[in-house]
Amino acid sequence: MPKNILKDDHNWLIEITKCTPDSKPAYNPDGTLQEIKIPMKDATLPNGQPQPLYFDENSEYPGIFKEMAQILIEHGYDEIVIKKKRAKYFKF
């Protein structure tokens, strides 16, 4: 999982084979499979609550994969993130 917020051109997406409307693989003119990149599905926490892995469209970073620190902050672990940023030699 990334430590820092990624730039839009380096967003963390999953590469899959593109399909035609009739659910068959799409091919390039040279015969290779067409590939597209899609975002991952949201995670699910142990209590069943969904955990979005990407920023929503109304945020400062719309559609960008969240860094681990951001997910920790969203769940109330602000102090861990602050201590990590203060510690010079802490490997996170």
Side-chain angles (χ1 to χ4, degrees):
M1 186 163 279
K3 294 181 192 177
N4 300 310
I5 295 173
L6 301 171
K7 294 178 182 162
D8 194 27
D9 60 339
H10 290 96
N11 200 6
W12 202 10
L13 301 169
I14 304 302
E15 199 169 275
I16 63 165
T17 301
K18 183 178 180 180
C19 292
T20 62
D22 59 348
S23 300
K24 294 185 178 177
Y27 292 91
N28 293 315
D30 66 359
T32 59
L33 289 170
Q34 287 185 16
E35 308 239 330
I36 57 171
K37 292 186 176 186
I38 61 169
M40 290 186 289
K41 182 180 165 187
D42 289 345
T44 304
L45 300 174
N47 65 1
Q49 179 182 0
Q51 169 58 57
L53 298 177
Y54 297 85
F55 287 99
D56 66 18
E57 296 303 318
N58 299 324
S59 71
E60 185 178 351
Y61 307 102
I64 301 295
F65 192 79
K66 293 180 183 178
E67 63 178 359
M68 178 55 84
Q70 178 64 35
I71 292 172
L72 289 171
I73 289 169
E74 289 175 5
H75 290 280
Y77 294 99
D78 303 37
E79 288 301 316
I80 291 173
V81 175
I82 291 168
K83 287 179 185 176
K84 180 245 176 212
K85 288 182 179 179
R86 288 183 189 157
K88 285 184 175 182
Y89 304 105
F90 184 71
K91 301 283 183 187
F92 191 62

